Amino acid sequence: MQMPHSPLASHAATPRELQERHRAEREGLPYLLFLDDQGRQVLHVLDDEQTRLSIGRNPANDVALEWDPGVSRLHTELERIGGEWTIGDDGLSRNGSWVNEERVRGRRRLDDGDVIRLGATALIFRHPGAAEESPTLSGPLPVPAFSPGQRRVLVELCRPYQDAQLAAPATNRQIADRLSVSVDAVKSQLRSLFIAFGVDELPQNQKRSVLATRALKAGVVSAQDFLD
Protein backbone atom coordinates (compact mmCIF):
# COMPACT_ATOMS: atom_id res chain seq x y z
CA MET A 1 0.00 0.00 0.00
CA GLN A 2 1.25 3.50 -0.85
CA MET A 3 2.15 5.37 2.30
CA PRO A 4 0.40 8.77 2.30
CA HIS A 5 2.15 12.03 3.02
CA SER A 6 0.47 14.71 5.13
CA PRO A 7 -3.19 14.87 4.04
CA LEU A 8 -2.63 18.55 3.21
CA ALA A 9 0.70 18.24 1.42
CA SER A 10 -0.81 18.60 -2.06
CA HIS A 11 -4.06 20.30 -1.08
CA ALA A 12 -4.69 23.90 -2.13
CA ALA A 13 -6.79 25.22 0.77
CA THR A 14 -9.74 27.45 -0.01
CA PRO A 15 -10.23 30.75 1.88
CA ARG A 16 -13.02 29.11 3.85
CA GLU A 17 -10.80 26.19 4.84
CA LEU A 18 -7.99 28.52 5.90
CA GLN A 19 -10.45 30.56 7.96
CA GLU A 20 -11.68 27.37 9.60
CA ARG A 21 -8.13 26.39 10.58
CA HIS A 22 -7.31 29.85 11.91
CA ARG A 23 -10.47 29.85 14.04
CA ALA A 24 -9.51 26.48 15.53
CA GLU A 25 -5.97 27.72 16.21
CA ARG A 26 -7.31 30.77 18.06
CA GLU A 27 -9.61 28.64 20.22
CA GLY A 28 -6.68 26.40 21.17
CA LEU A 29 -8.78 23.22 21.22
CA PRO A 30 -7.38 19.94 19.85
CA TYR A 31 -8.78 18.79 16.52
CA LEU A 32 -8.39 16.26 13.69
CA LEU A 33 -7.77 17.54 10.17
CA PHE A 34 -8.17 15.34 7.08
CA LEU A 35 -9.56 15.22 3.55
CA ASP A 36 -12.75 13.37 2.59
CA ASP A 37 -13.22 11.27 -0.54
CA GLN A 38 -13.91 14.44 -2.56
CA GLY A 39 -10.67 16.08 -1.43
CA ARG A 40 -12.48 18.52 0.84
CA GLN A 41 -11.06 19.52 4.20
CA VAL A 42 -12.72 18.09 7.31
CA LEU A 43 -11.90 19.65 10.68
CA HIS A 44 -13.27 17.76 13.69
CA VAL A 45 -12.85 19.64 16.97
CA LEU A 46 -12.32 17.66 20.18
CA ASP A 47 -14.15 19.79 22.73
CA ASP A 48 -13.59 19.89 26.48
CA GLU A 49 -16.64 17.76 27.24
CA GLN A 50 -15.60 14.91 24.96
CA THR A 51 -13.55 12.07 26.43
CA ARG A 52 -13.80 9.40 23.73
CA LEU A 53 -13.95 9.42 19.94
CA SER A 54 -14.64 6.42 17.68
CA ILE A 55 -13.25 6.29 14.14
CA GLY A 56 -14.18 3.74 11.48
CA ARG A 57 -16.02 3.00 8.25
CA ASN A 58 -19.39 2.57 9.97
CA PRO A 59 -21.38 5.83 9.62
CA ALA A 60 -22.36 5.53 13.30
CA ASN A 61 -18.79 6.41 14.35
CA ASP A 62 -17.95 9.89 15.61
CA VAL A 63 -15.59 10.19 12.64
CA ALA A 64 -16.84 8.05 9.75
CA LEU A 65 -14.39 7.23 6.94
CA GLU A 66 -17.03 5.45 4.87
CA TRP A 67 -15.14 5.72 1.58
CA ASP A 68 -11.97 3.86 2.65
CA PRO A 69 -12.18 0.04 2.25
CA GLY A 70 -8.94 -0.32 4.23
CA VAL A 71 -10.65 1.06 7.34
CA SER A 72 -12.52 -1.36 9.61
CA ARG A 73 -16.12 -0.71 10.64
CA LEU A 74 -14.82 0.26 14.09
CA HIS A 75 -11.14 0.91 13.48
CA THR A 76 -9.79 2.76 16.50
CA GLU A 77 -10.72 5.00 19.42
CA LEU A 78 -9.23 8.21 20.71
CA GLU A 79 -9.51 8.70 24.46
CA ARG A 80 -8.67 11.67 26.65
CA ILE A 81 -6.74 10.61 29.75
CA GLY A 82 -5.52 13.19 32.26
CA GLY A 83 -6.01 15.99 29.75
CA GLU A 84 -3.99 14.19 27.05
CA TRP A 85 -5.49 12.61 23.94
CA THR A 86 -4.41 9.05 23.21
CA ILE A 87 -5.02 6.56 20.42
CA GLY A 88 -5.51 2.85 21.02
CA ASP A 89 -5.63 -0.18 18.79
CA ASP A 90 -6.44 -3.28 20.79
CA GLY A 91 -7.16 -5.52 17.84
CA LEU A 92 -10.20 -3.58 16.66
CA SER A 93 -8.85 -3.14 13.13
CA ARG A 94 -7.67 -5.57 10.49
CA ASN A 95 -4.97 -3.32 9.01
CA GLY A 96 -3.80 -1.62 12.19
CA SER A 97 -3.49 2.02 13.18
CA TRP A 98 -0.32 4.01 12.50
CA VAL A 99 1.09 7.23 13.94
CA ASN A 100 3.93 8.84 11.97
CA GLU A 101 4.20 5.48 10.15
CA GLU A 102 4.79 3.57 13.42
CA ARG A 103 2.19 0.94 14.21
CA VAL A 104 0.17 1.57 17.35
CA ARG A 105 0.31 -1.30 19.79
CA GLY A 106 -1.81 -0.81 22.87
CA ARG A 107 -2.25 2.88 23.64
CA ARG A 108 -0.13 5.84 22.58
CA ARG A 109 -0.27 9.52 23.52
CA LEU A 110 -0.83 11.91 20.64
CA ASP A 111 1.34 14.99 20.22
CA ASP A 112 0.63 18.13 18.26
CA GLY A 113 1.33 17.50 14.56
CA ASP A 114 1.16 13.68 14.67
CA VAL A 115 -0.12 12.07 11.47
CA ILE A 116 -2.52 9.18 12.04
CA ARG A 117 -2.97 6.70 9.19
CA LEU A 118 -5.98 4.39 9.05
CA GLY A 119 -6.20 2.39 5.85
CA ALA A 120 -5.32 4.84 3.07
CA THR A 121 -6.61 7.87 5.01
CA ALA A 122 -4.29 10.18 6.92
CA LEU A 123 -5.45 12.54 9.67
CA ILE A 124 -3.41 15.26 11.39
CA PHE A 125 -3.86 15.61 15.14
CA ARG A 126 -3.46 19.25 16.16
CA HIS A 127 -3.42 20.64 19.69
CA PRO A 128 -2.47 24.35 19.46
CA GLY A 129 -2.87 24.87 23.21
CA ALA A 130 -0.39 22.09 23.98
CA ALA A 131 2.06 23.47 21.41
CA GLU A 132 2.08 26.82 23.22
CA GLU A 133 3.02 25.04 26.46
CA SER A 134 6.04 23.31 24.87
CA PRO A 135 9.51 24.60 25.76
CA THR A 136 10.51 27.59 23.65
CA LEU A 137 13.91 27.48 22.04
CA SER A 138 15.52 30.89 22.46
CA GLY A 139 18.44 32.53 20.74
CA PRO A 140 19.27 33.01 17.08
CA LEU A 141 18.52 30.24 14.62
CA PRO A 142 21.74 28.40 13.81
CA VAL A 143 23.01 28.04 10.27
CA PRO A 144 25.55 25.23 10.62
CA ALA A 145 27.81 23.85 7.95
CA PHE A 146 26.86 20.39 6.74
CA SER A 147 27.84 17.85 4.11
CA PRO A 148 26.04 17.39 0.76
CA GLY A 149 24.53 14.18 2.12
CA GLN A 150 23.18 15.92 5.21
CA ARG A 151 21.75 18.69 3.08
CA ARG A 152 19.92 16.24 0.81
CA VAL A 153 18.37 14.53 3.84
CA LEU A 154 17.39 17.90 5.31
CA VAL A 155 15.69 18.98 2.08
CA GLU A 156 13.68 15.74 1.92
CA LEU A 157 12.73 16.05 5.59
CA CYS A 158 11.27 19.48 4.84
CA ARG A 159 9.72 18.66 1.46
CA PRO A 160 6.14 18.07 2.75
CA TYR A 161 6.12 21.69 4.01
CA GLN A 162 6.34 23.13 0.49
CA ASP A 163 2.55 23.02 0.09
CA ALA A 164 1.19 23.02 3.64
CA GLN A 165 2.28 24.73 6.83
CA LEU A 166 0.52 22.03 8.85
CA ALA A 167 2.47 19.23 7.17
CA ALA A 168 4.44 16.63 9.07
CA PRO A 169 8.13 16.03 8.26
CA ALA A 170 8.91 13.21 5.84
CA THR A 171 9.47 9.81 7.44
CA ASN A 172 12.82 8.03 7.31
CA ARG A 173 11.41 5.59 4.76
CA GLN A 174 10.12 8.36 2.51
CA ILE A 175 13.50 10.11 2.63
CA ALA A 176 15.38 6.88 1.96
CA ASP A 177 13.18 5.96 -1.00
CA ARG A 178 13.52 9.38 -2.60
CA LEU A 179 17.31 9.46 -2.17
CA SER A 180 17.80 5.74 -2.96
CA VAL A 181 19.71 5.14 0.27
CA SER A 182 19.11 2.93 3.29
CA VAL A 183 16.96 3.95 6.25
CA ASP A 184 20.01 3.49 8.49
CA ALA A 185 21.92 6.02 6.38
CA VAL A 186 19.08 8.51 6.80
CA LYS A 187 19.02 7.97 10.57
CA SER A 188 22.78 8.55 10.76
CA GLN A 189 22.53 11.85 8.87
CA LEU A 190 19.58 12.97 10.99
CA ARG A 191 21.48 12.32 14.21
CA SER A 192 24.20 14.68 13.00
CA LEU A 193 21.61 17.27 11.95
CA PHE A 194 19.88 17.11 15.35
CA ILE A 195 23.20 17.99 16.99
CA ALA A 196 24.10 20.66 14.42
CA PHE A 197 20.77 22.46 14.89
CA GLY A 198 20.78 22.07 18.68
CA VAL A 199 17.65 19.92 18.94
CA ASP A 200 19.23 16.65 20.10
CA GLU A 201 18.09 17.23 23.70
CA LEU A 202 14.42 17.62 22.74
CA PRO A 203 11.93 14.76 23.22
CA GLN A 204 12.08 12.25 20.37
CA ASN A 205 8.61 13.16 19.10
CA GLN A 206 9.60 16.83 18.67
CA LYS A 207 13.07 16.60 17.12
CA ARG A 208 12.05 16.14 13.48
CA SER A 209 9.43 18.89 13.33
CA VAL A 210 11.63 21.40 15.20
CA LEU A 211 14.58 20.57 12.94
CA ALA A 212 12.46 21.12 9.83
CA THR A 213 11.02 24.37 11.21
CA ARG A 214 14.45 25.72 12.12
CA ALA A 215 15.92 24.83 8.73
CA LEU A 216 13.07 26.59 6.91
CA LYS A 217 13.07 29.67 9.15
CA ALA A 218 16.83 30.04 8.86
CA GLY A 219 16.62 29.82 5.08
CA VAL A 220 18.86 26.74 4.99
CA VAL A 221 16.10 25.03 3.00
CA SER A 222 14.04 27.15 0.62
CA ALA A 223 11.46 26.74 -2.14
CA GLN A 224 14.25 26.48 -4.71
CA ASP A 225 15.32 23.18 -3.16
CA PHE A 226 11.97 21.59 -4.02
CA LEU A 227 12.11 22.26 -7.75
CA ASP A 228 13.79 18.96 -8.70
Side-chain angles (χ1 to χ4, degrees), residues 135-158:
T136 300
L137 297 174
S138 59
L141 291 171
V143 185
F146 40 78
S147 69
Q150 289 171 341
R151 177 172 175 74
R152 287 193 293 270
V153 168
L154 189 58
V155 169
E156 295 309 321
L157 180 78
C158 298

Side-chain angles (χ1 to χ4, degrees), residues 114-144:
D114 279 349
V115 178
I116 303 167
R117 179 170 64 82
L118 311 175
T121 302
L123 311 89
I124 295 180
F125 173 79
R126 294 285 285 122
H127 194 171
E132 292 172 1
E133 296 168 2
S134 300
T136 300
L137 297 174
S138 59
L141 291 171
V143 185

Side-chain angles (χ1 to χ4, degrees), residues 82-135:
E84 301 283 348
W85 279 97
T86 65
I87 183 171
D89 192 323
D90 300 315
L92 291 176
S93 66
R94 177 175 299 177
N95 295 322
S97 303
W98 304 74
V99 174
N100 302 330
E101 292 309 326
E102 295 181 4
R103 186 161 188 166
V104 176
R105 302 189 185 280
R107 186 155 296 278
R108 168 174 175 159
R109 188 184 72 177
L110 291 171
D111 293 298
D112 181 49
D114 279 349
V115 178
I116 303 167
R117 179 170 64 82
L118 311 175
T121 302
L123 311 89
I124 295 180
F125 173 79
R126 294 285 285 122
H127 194 171
E132 292 172 1
E133 296 168 2
S134 300

Side-chain angles (χ1 to χ4, degrees), residues 33-77:
L33 193 64
F34 59 98
L35 303 179
D36 66 14
D37 57 329
Q38 302 298 315
R40 296 169 300 202
Q41 173 179 291
V42 179
L43 193 154
H44 187 99
V45 175
L46 306 171
D47 60 48
D48 289 335
E49 297 182 0
Q50 193 169 15
T51 59
R52 192 181 294 270
L53 181 90
S54 62
I55 307 177
R57 202 172 72 252
N58 191 319
N61 286 292
D62 298 309
V63 174
L65 309 177
E66 302 176 58
W67 61 87
D68 191 338
V71 173
S72 298
R73 289 178 59 80
L74 174 58
H75 197 105
T76 189
E77 286 186 323

